[in-house]
Amino acid sequence: METTAGSKKALKFAYYPGCSLHATAVDYNESTLAVAEALGIDLVEVPDWSCCGSTPAHCTDELLAAALPAKNMIAAGTVADEMLVCCSACFSRLKFAQKHIEEKENIRTKLSKIMPVEQAQSIKVRHLLDVLVQDIGVEKIAELKQQDLGLKVACYYGCLLTRPPKVTELDDAEDPCFMDDLLTAAGMETVPWPYKTECCGASFSLTRTEIVLRLVADILQMAKEAEVDCISVACPLCHANLDMRQSDIKKKLGLKYDIPIFYFTQLLGMAFGLEQGKLGIGRSLVDCKELLAAKGIK
Amino acid sequence: MKHVIKREQLRPDIIQTIEELSGQDIKSCYQCGKCSAGCPIAADMDVPPNQVIRQLQLGFVDEALRLKTIWLCASCETCTTRCPREVDLAAVMDALRNIAIQKGIRSPERAVTLFNKIFLSTVKRYGRVFEMELIGMFNTGTLNFFKDMTKAPKLFFKGRLKLFPNFTGRKMANTVFKDVKRIKSSGPEENSEPSKGI
């Protein structure tokens, strides 16, 4: 058991928060930093990072969609050998950029005219969930557990964390379990449910809201049928849609769920006994205080 | 659909561009429909995803470039992950969107394309997304001024909405946008090799 963290070299990452974690997902950022500190992970923010371009970039221009992430990966390489990303969408775009630079000669030659692309290729892009499971290990998570939350959780992975597996190189694409493993180790009960990787509609939240409402309502309905207390997510876009759109679903579709949405880092942080204020608890629109009080979680 | 398929239409040059951009072989698809079965948004599309590929196989590229489908694809990668022929359909959708924009084809999903445009313009201007301006400009552009406006104060008081942009990433993003524009305008000769049909 002691081999998990103690004997390994200190974990240091170039931390790429991405736009959301500095705005609508500030709670994901806070809880990530708090949990990383508790686990002894050293995070150095990528110097002067910019947006990865997200969906609008790859819909518009494949060169731009590779160039923005590549430039950020080069900047990340100046502070560490591995890059830590929390947002599934950023993670996907960074990994896709590396794949496209490697496989598409056209992109590689063009980008090499404006930046040292080989530097972008040499950095290892990691998602926080993967680092916690692979580098820290569930045993260490279990050791750090301070309080039993007694929560029944549906782990929602969304699309881009595990899909497509050739790009993300993480857990099983249809039935991922690594978030479940982490939360189980931290003393929570997770449920098997069929919508863990269904799409929430992501960026259509603003443009085609009615599609997102339908998709999110389906996901919430499945979670409700699994009789969970809350949903755990690992992506700011999933969180935004599942949390912010619940009031619209009530208004427009007449369906009332009131299921609190947490980032997995918030749940881990509470299990570790970290202060709720430091984890950004209470910043979501769906009230979670009632649930936490009922479970006696401090 | 009533269409006459002419022999010379079957594989126009533009198919090769689509295949190069996406890195996919359009012929690989054998129309099992698994992509459409798993697509979360298929119900809202004018043509299901597998039929977009079929249109390309039959040479109806102009029609495909005008579909709502290509703009309603959320790039969730379900189709790509499940395709038994390993066709990366999400990449084909990206290629179609890129080409539609290059050709200046009017998008039937104006809200989606407008959002993309505003999103990238804020990234270019500030380096990072600035939600207040993004939503404000999007609502103005779609003449739906008060959409989601009740959410803004709530998010603000929860500390999740910033009133001012962050300029830290501006230099990096600015350089990338400028450089990409430069290499695109300087090197068209490289990617426009004479294309050969069959």
Side-chain angles (χ1 to χ4, degrees):
Chain A
M1 252 188 208
E2 277 72 26
T3 54
T4 47
S7 62
K8 281 187 186 167
K9 62 179 167 54
L11 288 169
K12 185 185 175 186
F13 293 94
Y15 177 47
Y16 181 75
C19 305
S20 289
L21 273 78
H22 274 213
T24 51
V26 62
D27 33 0
Y28 196 8
N29 192 44
E30 289 167 327
S31 52
T32 296
L33 296 178
V35 166
E37 196 193 340
L39 292 169
I41 302 173
D42 189 8
L43 299 181
V44 185
E45 201 160 308
V46 176
D48 299 337
W49 58 268
S50 78
C51 174
C52 68
S54 191
T55 305
H58 73 78
C59 285
T60 308
D61 179 2
E62 62 156 5
L63 207 54
L64 184 68
L68 279 168
K71 200 83 175 174
N72 280 291
M73 291 188 282
I74 292 168
T78 60
V79 291
D81 302 328
E82 292 188 89
M83 188 173 181
L84 185 88
V85 190
C86 295
C87 168
S88 300
C90 296
F91 175 70
S92 167
R93 289 331 305 167
L94 297 175
K95 296 281 278 183
F96 259 113
Q98 285 189 326
K99 186 169 180 271
H100 287 166
I101 292 171
E102 192 189 313
E103 290 176 0
K104 295 183 175 180
E105 205 195 327
N106 176 39
I107 291 189
R108 190 170 56 243
T109 32
K110 283 191 172 168
L111 284 193
S112 58
K113 287 182 190 161
I114 56 173
M115 59 178 85
V117 274
E118 63 291 342
Q119 283 178 31
Q121 294 300 81
S122 62
I123 197 157
K124 199 162 183 213
V125 179
R126 309 278 310 272
H127 191 279
L128 177 62
L129 261 175
D130 182 40
V131 168
L132 294 190
V133 174
Q134 297 296 333
D135 300 17
I136 300 288
V138 286
E139 297 88 354
K140 174 86 176 167
I141 301 287
E143 268 172 43
L144 279 172
K145 189 187 99 182
Q146 294 283 328
Q147 63 170 334
D148 232 319
L149 300 183
L151 289 174
K152 199 170 166 189
V153 188
C155 291
Y156 177 65
Y157 296 80
C159 331
L160 299 177
L161 186 62
T162 56
R163 276 200 304 262
K166 275 183 188 162
V167 173
T168 61
E169 300 169 305
L170 290 179
D171 205 354
D172 188 286
E174 298 289 353
D175 187 19
C177 286
F178 60 153
M179 197 198 298
D180 292 72
D181 294 345
L182 268 185
L183 298 186
T184 313
M188 280 156 264
E189 183 194 348
T190 64
V191 295
W193 66 307
Y195 269 48
K196 50 165 75 166
T197 60
E198 279 299 314
C199 176
C200 70
S203 63
F204 288 141
S205 191
L206 288 172
T207 54
R208 289 294 301 255
T209 312
E210 71 289 356
I211 295 181
V212 168
L213 295 189
R214 195 194 72 225
L215 297 177
V216 172
D218 285 349
I219 294 165
L220 294 170
Q221 180 63 34
M222 281 299 168
K224 189 184 171 186
E225 285 174 22
E227 297 175 337
V228 294
D229 299 312
C230 60
I231 298 175
S232 168
V233 298
C235 170
L237 293 172
C238 299
H239 188 284
N241 283 344
L242 293 183
D243 175 57
M244 267 186 239
R245 292 297 173 198
Q246 284 197 35
S247 57
D248 300 303
I249 288 170
K250 191 152 63 178
K251 229 177 289 168
K252 302 234 167 88
L253 307 179
L255 301 165
K256 190 168 174 284
Y257 292 106
D258 292 329
I259 302 175
I261 315 294
F262 292 103
Y263 290 106
F264 73 99
T265 41
Q266 293 181 307
L267 293 172
L268 282 182
M270 285 193 287
F272 293 167
L274 304 177
E275 212 181 297
Q276 287 188 11
K278 282 190 174 170
L279 298 169
I281 303 286
R283 286 197 195 269
S284 50
L285 296 191
V286 176
D287 180 61
C288 63
K289 296 279 179 192
E290 208 176 301
L291 169 70
L292 298 182
K295 296 279 175 184
I297 300 167
K298 290 189 192 92
Chain B
M1 261 192 290
K2 282 179 210 155
H3 282 296
V4 179
I5 302 167
K6 296 186 183 116
R7 193 166 173 273
E8 59 272 24
Q9 170 199 324
L10 275 173
R11 202 175 154 85
D13 293 346
I14 194 171
I15 289 290
Q16 195 172 342
T17 315
I18 294 168
E19 292 191 333
E20 271 166 24
L21 259 174
S22 63
Q24 303 306 308
D25 182 356
I26 301 296
K27 296 190 300 298
S28 287
C29 167
Y30 55 29
Q31 290 293 308
C32 69
K34 196 170 186 178
C35 48
S36 302
C39 177
I41 309 189
D44 300 277
M45 294 171 167
D46 40 6
V47 157
N50 68 304
Q51 287 184 22
V52 175
I53 296 282
R54 193 69 184 135
Q55 290 197 355
L56 298 179
Q57 288 175 335
L58 297 177
F60 293 107
V61 182
D62 260 4
E63 286 80 352
L65 290 171
R66 283 176 170 76
L67 290 173
K68 283 182 180 184
T69 299
I70 63 173
W71 295 105
L72 289 181
C73 160
S75 307
C76 76
E77 307 283 345
T78 307
C79 49
T80 298
T81 304
R82 293 181 183 167
C83 177
R85 298 284 293 151
E86 299 196 352
V87 176
D88 185 347
L89 185 45
V92 175
M93 295 289 185
D94 259 348
L96 291 173
R97 287 186 285 249
N98 287 3
I99 293 171
I101 290 176
Q102 273 169 25
K103 285 179 165 279
I105 292 171
R106 200 173 169 277
S107 157
E109 285 292 331
R110 195 177 157 267
V112 177
T113 32
L114 181 74
F115 176 83
N116 290 350
K117 220 172 162 177
I118 298 171
F119 185 100
L120 290 178
S121 77
T122 67
V123 172
K124 193 176 169 186
R125 199 168 314 132
Y126 306 118
R128 297 176 189 170
V129 179
F130 177 39
E131 281 84 357
M132 281 287 264
E133 184 174 308
L134 175 64
I135 297 169
M137 282 175 73
F138 176 75
N139 283 1
T140 312
T142 50
L143 301 177
N144 197 351
F145 301 104
F146 302 107
K147 184 171 184 294
D148 292 323
M149 273 306 146
T150 53
K151 296 224 168 13
K154 283 183 208 154
L155 288 174
F156 176 74
F157 286 115
K158 295 276 188 185
R160 292 170 62 188
L161 196 62
K162 293 211 164 67
L163 294 180
F164 302 103
N166 180 325
F167 289 96
T168 325
R170 188 185 193 182
K171 203 178 142 212
M172 184 188 287
N174 248 312
T175 321
V176 173
F177 273 90
K178 225 181 281 168
D179 287 347
V180 167
K181 198 176 167 191
R182 186 164 50 82
I183 49 170
K184 277 185 90 86
S185 58
S186 73
E189 74 278 358
E190 285 175 10
N191 56 356
S192 62
E193 292 167 17
S195 30
K196 306 167 223 68
I198 24 172

